[in-house]
Amino acid sequence: MKNIAKSLIALFAVLAVSCSSDDVEDRPVIKAIDGPALIAPDGGSYVLNIESANNLAERFVWTSANFGQSVAINYEVQLDVADGVDEFAEPRSLGSVIGANQLAVSVVTLNTAAIALGGVPLEEKQYVVRVKASVNGTFEPTYSNPVTITITPYQAFVPLQNLYLVGDATEYGYNNNAGNSPLFRDPGNQYKFYYTGYFTGGNGIKILSALGSWHPQYGSAGAGILAVSGADGSNEPGPISVPSSGYYELTIDIQEMTYSLLPFTYDPATMPVFGSVGIIGAGTPGGWDADTDMTNSTANPHLWKLNEIVITQNALKFRANHSWDTPGNWGGGTPVSGQLSINGGDFIGVAAEGTYSVWFNDLDRRYIFIPR
């Protein structure tokens, strides 16, 4: 590795001397003498199934590329649809290695890539796979021969992730199983979550992936940057800091790995503390004749919950004080999670009959049904 590093340093030093910052575009591009050759046979067929998701699907093997000197070569295995027109215009990566000549690809990795490229579960489709060889700097990437394969993907069932508040800025402190409030999932983006409420200043917030378990755990890796610990507790992030006590809207995205904590304008005149909030409707135990009342807490009087209730796949609504008066009359939602409208219509709250915990925040009118 030391010799490789010295060769790279010497090469870049020569290029730096020969080219000023004004003529970067005129620097010579170094092309490979030989590209890699993918050894995987044409006509390979992969019928994937979820039971073996973590098993090996294929070990792709190739010969080394030759850039004419000793350099560290990055090899990336790419997949695209075999359409004969725009192949590899926007390929999916199956993974990469440095200096090696093979890559082990799991069933779930191959399945995810095939679905992302338009594959239909349980339907066979042709794809092309190739190896990209590249070196950092002014080297032009080179590619292997394309190989045609067929993949029959499975339908991946991915249960919706629920996230929970913890930390000394919250009413739960650092207790990971104290009936902690969930964050409210965006109905159109399963990776985006919200929570509006009161936080104690000078302290911090963390996010749990499951009640009663500390890891994986989300927190801050810097202003606006979300980080997550490993399942074994490794790389634990810091807390999301709350500058001063007050009402805030916390938003996190566990796909983009970003977060924001913005002040929320709380107006007691238009956001009263209701005497009661409940759910009512054909989907609830009391039907349209009786509310099933929820409970709140002194720390968060606008956050309401039901720990365990049977909900059927029928219409329901949320309302305050056992009355249809506004502003305490909310409807017009979507199944599982969403944001209600004042005086909105009846809606179906769940995708299937079952026992749920139900949470509702009357500050931003967000709700979530969590299977028990």
Coordinates of all heavy atoms in Angstrom, one line a residue, residues 96-146:
S96 N -19.1 -2.3 -4.3 CA -17.8 -2.0 -4.8 C -16.7 -2.5 -3.9 O -17.0 -2.7 -2.7 CB -17.6 -0.5 -5.0 OG -17.8 0.2 -3.8
V97 N -15.5 -2.7 -4.4 CA -14.4 -3.2 -3.7 C -13.2 -2.4 -4.2 O -13.2 -2.0 -5.4 CB -14.2 -4.7 -3.7 CG1 -15.2 -5.4 -3.0 CG2 -14.1 -5.2 -5.2
I98 N -12.1 -2.3 -3.4 CA -10.8 -1.7 -3.9 C -9.8 -2.8 -4.0 O -9.5 -3.5 -3.0 CB -10.4 -0.6 -3.0 CG1 -11.4 0.5 -3.0 CG2 -9.0 -0.1 -3.4 CD1 -11.1 1.7 -2.0
G99 N -9.2 -3.0 -5.2 CA -8.1 -3.9 -5.4 C -8.4 -5.3 -5.4 O -7.5 -6.2 -5.5
A100 N -9.7 -5.7 -5.3 CA -10.1 -7.1 -5.4 C -10.7 -7.4 -6.7 O -11.1 -6.5 -7.5 CB -11.0 -7.4 -4.2
N101 N -10.9 -8.7 -6.9 CA -11.4 -9.2 -8.2 C -12.7 -9.9 -8.1 O -13.1 -10.7 -9.0 CB -10.4 -10.0 -9.0 CG -9.2 -9.2 -9.4 OD1 -8.3 -9.0 -8.6 ND2 -9.1 -8.8 -10.6
Q102 N -13.4 -9.7 -7.0 CA -14.7 -10.4 -6.9 C -15.6 -9.6 -5.9 O -15.1 -8.9 -5.0 CB -14.6 -11.8 -6.4 CG -13.8 -12.0 -5.1 CD -13.7 -13.4 -4.7 OE1 -14.6 -14.0 -4.0 NE2 -12.6 -14.1 -5.1
L103 N -16.9 -9.8 -6.0 CA -17.8 -9.1 -5.1 C -19.0 -10.1 -4.8 O -19.6 -10.6 -5.7 CB -18.4 -7.8 -5.7 CG -19.4 -7.1 -4.9 CD1 -18.8 -6.4 -3.7 CD2 -20.2 -6.1 -5.7
A104 N -19.2 -10.3 -3.5 CA -20.3 -11.2 -3.1 C -21.6 -10.3 -3.0 O -21.6 -9.3 -2.3 CB -20.0 -11.8 -1.8
V105 N -22.6 -10.7 -3.7 CA -23.9 -9.9 -3.7 C -25.0 -10.7 -3.1 O -25.2 -11.9 -3.5 CB -24.3 -9.5 -5.1 CG1 -25.6 -8.7 -5.2 CG2 -23.2 -8.6 -5.7
S106 N -25.7 -10.2 -2.1 CA -26.7 -10.9 -1.4 C -28.0 -10.9 -2.2 O -28.2 -10.1 -3.1 CB -27.0 -10.4 0.0 OG -27.5 -9.1 -0.1
V107 N -28.9 -11.8 -1.8 CA -30.2 -11.9 -2.4 C -31.0 -10.6 -2.3 O -31.6 -10.1 -3.2 CB -31.0 -13.1 -1.8 CG1 -32.5 -13.0 -2.3 CG2 -30.4 -14.4 -2.2
V108 N -31.0 -10.0 -1.1 CA -31.7 -8.8 -0.9 C -31.1 -7.6 -1.6 O -31.9 -6.8 -2.1 CB -31.8 -8.4 0.7 CG1 -30.4 -8.1 1.2 CG2 -32.8 -7.3 0.9
T109 N -29.8 -7.6 -1.8 CA -29.2 -6.5 -2.6 C -29.6 -6.6 -4.1 O -29.9 -5.6 -4.7 CB -27.7 -6.6 -2.5 OG1 -27.3 -6.3 -1.1 CG2 -27.0 -5.5 -3.4
L110 N -29.6 -7.8 -4.6 CA -29.9 -8.0 -6.0 C -31.4 -7.7 -6.2 O -31.8 -7.1 -7.2 CB -29.6 -9.5 -6.4 CG -29.6 -9.8 -7.9 CD1 -28.6 -8.9 -8.7 CD2 -29.3 -11.2 -8.2
N111 N -32.2 -8.2 -5.2 CA -33.7 -7.9 -5.3 C -34.0 -6.4 -5.3 O -34.8 -5.9 -6.1 CB -34.4 -8.7 -4.2 CG -35.9 -8.7 -4.3 OD1 -36.4 -9.6 -5.1 ND2 -36.6 -7.8 -3.7
T112 N -33.4 -5.7 -4.4 CA -33.6 -4.3 -4.2 C -33.3 -3.5 -5.5 O -34.0 -2.7 -6.0 CB -32.8 -3.7 -3.0 OG1 -33.2 -4.4 -1.8 CG2 -33.1 -2.2 -2.9
A113 N -32.1 -3.9 -6.1 CA -31.7 -3.3 -7.3 C -32.7 -3.6 -8.5 O -33.1 -2.7 -9.3 CB -30.3 -3.7 -7.7
A114 N -33.1 -4.8 -8.6 CA -34.0 -5.2 -9.7 C -35.4 -4.5 -9.5 O -35.9 -4.0 -10.5 CB -34.2 -6.7 -9.6
I115 N -35.9 -4.4 -8.3 CA -37.2 -3.7 -8.1 C -37.0 -2.2 -8.4 O -37.9 -1.6 -9.1 CB -37.7 -3.9 -6.7 CG1 -38.0 -5.3 -6.4 CG2 -38.8 -3.0 -6.4 CD1 -39.3 -5.8 -7.1
A116 N -35.9 -1.6 -8.0 CA -35.7 -0.2 -8.3 C -35.6 0.1 -9.8 O -35.9 1.2 -10.2 CB -34.4 0.2 -7.6
L117 N -35.2 -0.9 -10.6 CA -35.1 -0.7 -12.0 C -36.4 -1.1 -12.7 O -36.4 -1.3 -14.0 CB -33.9 -1.6 -12.6 CG -32.5 -1.1 -12.2 CD1 -31.4 -2.1 -12.4 CD2 -32.2 0.2 -12.9
G118 N -37.4 -1.3 -12.0 CA -38.7 -1.5 -12.6 C -39.2 -3.0 -12.6 O -40.2 -3.3 -13.3
G119 N -38.4 -3.8 -12.0 CA -38.8 -5.2 -11.9 C -40.1 -5.4 -11.2 O -40.4 -4.7 -10.2
V120 N -40.9 -6.4 -11.6 CA -42.2 -6.7 -11.0 C -42.0 -8.0 -10.3 O -41.5 -9.0 -10.8 CB -43.2 -6.9 -12.1 CG1 -44.6 -7.3 -11.5 CG2 -43.4 -5.6 -12.9
P121 N -42.4 -8.0 -9.0 CA -42.3 -9.2 -8.2 C -42.9 -10.5 -8.9 O -44.0 -10.4 -9.4 CB -43.0 -8.9 -6.9 CG -42.9 -7.4 -6.8 CD -42.9 -6.9 -8.2
L122 N -42.2 -11.6 -8.8 CA -42.6 -12.9 -9.4 C -42.6 -12.9 -10.9 O -43.0 -13.9 -11.5 CB -43.9 -13.3 -8.8 CG -44.1 -13.3 -7.3 CD1 -45.5 -13.7 -6.9 CD2 -43.0 -14.1 -6.6
E123 N -42.1 -11.9 -11.5 CA -42.0 -11.9 -13.0 C -40.5 -11.8 -13.5 O -39.8 -11.0 -13.0 CB -42.8 -10.7 -13.6 CG -44.3 -10.8 -13.4 CD -45.0 -9.7 -14.2 OE1 -44.3 -9.0 -15.0 OE2 -46.2 -9.5 -14.0
E124 N -40.2 -12.7 -14.4 CA -38.8 -12.8 -14.9 C -38.5 -11.6 -15.8 O -39.4 -11.2 -16.6 CB -38.6 -14.1 -15.6 CG -37.2 -14.3 -16.1 CD -37.0 -15.6 -16.9 OE1 -36.8 -16.6 -16.3 OE2 -37.2 -15.6 -18.1
K125 N -37.3 -11.0 -15.7 CA -36.9 -9.9 -16.5 C -35.4 -10.0 -16.8 O -34.7 -10.5 -16.0 CB -37.3 -8.6 -15.9 CG -37.1 -7.4 -16.7 CD -37.7 -6.1 -16.0 CE -37.6 -4.9 -16.9 NZ -38.3 -3.7 -16.3
Q126 N -35.0 -9.5 -18.0 CA -33.6 -9.5 -18.4 C -32.9 -8.2 -17.9 O -33.5 -7.1 -18.0 CB -33.4 -9.7 -19.9 CG -33.6 -11.1 -20.4 CD -33.1 -11.3 -21.8 OE1 -33.1 -10.4 -22.6 NE2 -32.6 -12.5 -22.1
Y127 N -31.7 -8.4 -17.4 CA -30.9 -7.3 -17.0 C -29.5 -7.5 -17.5 O -29.1 -8.6 -18.0 CB -30.8 -7.2 -15.4 CG -32.1 -7.0 -14.7 CD1 -33.0 -8.1 -14.5 CD2 -32.5 -5.7 -14.3 CE1 -34.2 -7.9 -13.9 CE2 -33.7 -5.5 -13.7 CZ -34.6 -6.6 -13.5 OH -35.8 -6.4 -12.9
V128 N -28.7 -6.4 -17.5 CA -27.3 -6.5 -17.8 C -26.4 -6.1 -16.6 O -26.8 -5.2 -15.9 CB -26.9 -5.6 -19.1 CG1 -27.4 -6.3 -20.3 CG2 -27.6 -4.3 -19.0
V129 N -25.3 -6.7 -16.5 CA -24.4 -6.4 -15.4 C -23.0 -6.2 -16.0 O -22.6 -6.8 -17.0 CB -24.4 -7.6 -14.3 CG1 -23.9 -8.9 -14.9 CG2 -23.6 -7.2 -13.1
R130 N -22.3 -5.2 -15.4 CA -20.9 -5.0 -15.8 C -20.1 -4.5 -14.6 O -20.6 -4.2 -13.5 CB -20.9 -3.9 -16.9 CG -21.2 -2.5 -16.4 CD -21.1 -1.4 -17.5 NE -21.4 -0.1 -16.9 CZ -21.5 1.0 -17.7 NH1 -21.3 1.0 -19.0 NH2 -21.7 2.2 -17.1
V131 N -18.8 -4.4 -14.8 CA -17.9 -3.9 -13.8 C -17.2 -2.6 -14.3 O -16.7 -2.5 -15.4 CB -16.8 -4.9 -13.5 CG1 -15.8 -4.4 -12.4 CG2 -17.4 -6.2 -13.0
K132 N -17.3 -1.6 -13.4 CA -16.7 -0.3 -13.7 C -15.4 -0.2 -12.9 O -15.3 -0.5 -11.7 CB -17.6 0.8 -13.2 CG -16.9 2.2 -13.3 CD -17.9 3.3 -12.8 CE -17.2 4.7 -12.8 NZ -18.1 5.7 -12.2
A133 N -14.3 0.1 -13.6 CA -13.0 0.2 -12.9 C -12.6 1.7 -12.9 O -12.6 2.3 -14.0 CB -11.9 -0.6 -13.6
S134 N -12.2 2.2 -11.8 CA -11.9 3.7 -11.7 C -10.8 3.9 -10.7 O -10.6 3.1 -9.8 CB -13.1 4.5 -11.4 OG -13.6 4.1 -10.1
V135 N -10.1 5.0 -10.9 CA -9.0 5.4 -10.0 C -9.2 6.9 -9.7 O -9.5 7.7 -10.6 CB -7.6 5.2 -10.6 CG1 -6.5 5.7 -9.7 CG2 -7.4 3.7 -10.9
N136 N -9.0 7.3 -8.5 CA -9.2 8.7 -8.2 C -8.2 9.6 -8.9 O -7.0 9.1 -9.1 CB -9.0 9.0 -6.7 CG -10.1 8.4 -5.9 OD1 -11.2 8.3 -6.3 ND2 -9.9 8.0 -4.6
G137 N -8.5 10.8 -9.3 CA -7.6 11.6 -10.1 C -8.0 11.8 -11.5 O -9.2 11.8 -11.9
T138 N -7.0 11.9 -12.4 CA -7.3 12.2 -13.8 C -7.3 10.9 -14.6 O -6.9 10.9 -15.8 CB -6.3 13.2 -14.3 OG1 -5.0 12.6 -14.1 CG2 -6.4 14.5 -13.7
F139 N -7.8 9.9 -14.1 CA -7.9 8.6 -14.8 C -9.3 8.5 -15.3 O -10.3 8.7 -14.6 CB -7.6 7.4 -13.9 CG -6.2 7.4 -13.4 CD1 -5.8 8.1 -12.3 CD2 -5.2 6.6 -14.1 CE1 -4.5 8.1 -11.9 CE2 -3.9 6.5 -13.7 CZ -3.5 7.3 -12.5
E140 N -9.4 8.0 -16.6 CA -10.7 7.8 -17.2 C -11.2 6.4 -16.8 O -10.5 5.5 -16.9 CB -10.6 7.9 -18.7 CG -12.0 7.8 -19.4 CD -11.8 8.0 -20.9 OE1 -11.6 9.1 -21.3 OE2 -11.9 7.0 -21.7
P141 N -12.5 6.3 -16.3 CA -13.0 5.0 -15.9 C -13.0 4.1 -17.1 O -13.2 4.5 -18.3 CB -14.4 5.3 -15.4 CG -14.4 6.7 -15.0 CD -13.5 7.4 -16.0
T142 N -13.0 2.8 -16.9 CA -13.1 1.8 -17.9 C -14.1 0.7 -17.5 O -14.3 0.6 -16.3 CB -11.7 1.2 -18.3 OG1 -11.9 0.3 -19.4 CG2 -11.1 0.4 -17.1
Y143 N -14.7 0.0 -18.4 CA -15.8 -0.9 -18.1 C -15.5 -2.3 -18.7 O -14.8 -2.4 -19.7 CB -17.1 -0.3 -18.6 CG -17.4 1.0 -18.1 CD1 -17.0 2.2 -18.7 CD2 -18.2 1.1 -16.9 CE1 -17.3 3.4 -18.2 CE2 -18.5 2.4 -16.4 CZ -18.1 3.5 -17.0 OH -18.4 4.8 -16.5
S144 N -16.1 -3.2 -18.0 CA -16.0 -4.6 -18.5 C -17.0 -4.9 -19.6 O -17.9 -4.0 -19.9 CB -16.2 -5.6 -17.4 OG -17.6 -5.7 -17.1
N145 N -17.0 -6.0 -20.2 CA -18.0 -6.5 -21.1 C -19.3 -6.6 -20.3 O -19.3 -7.0 -19.1 CB -17.6 -7.9 -21.6 CG -17.3 -8.8 -20.5 OD1 -16.4 -8.6 -19.7 ND2 -18.0 -10.0 -20.4
P146 N -20.5 -6.3 -20.9 CA -21.8 -6.5 -20.3 C -22.2 -8.0 -20.3 O -21.9 -8.7 -21.3 CB -22.7 -5.6 -21.1 CG -22.1 -5.6 -22.4 CD -20.6 -5.6 -22.2

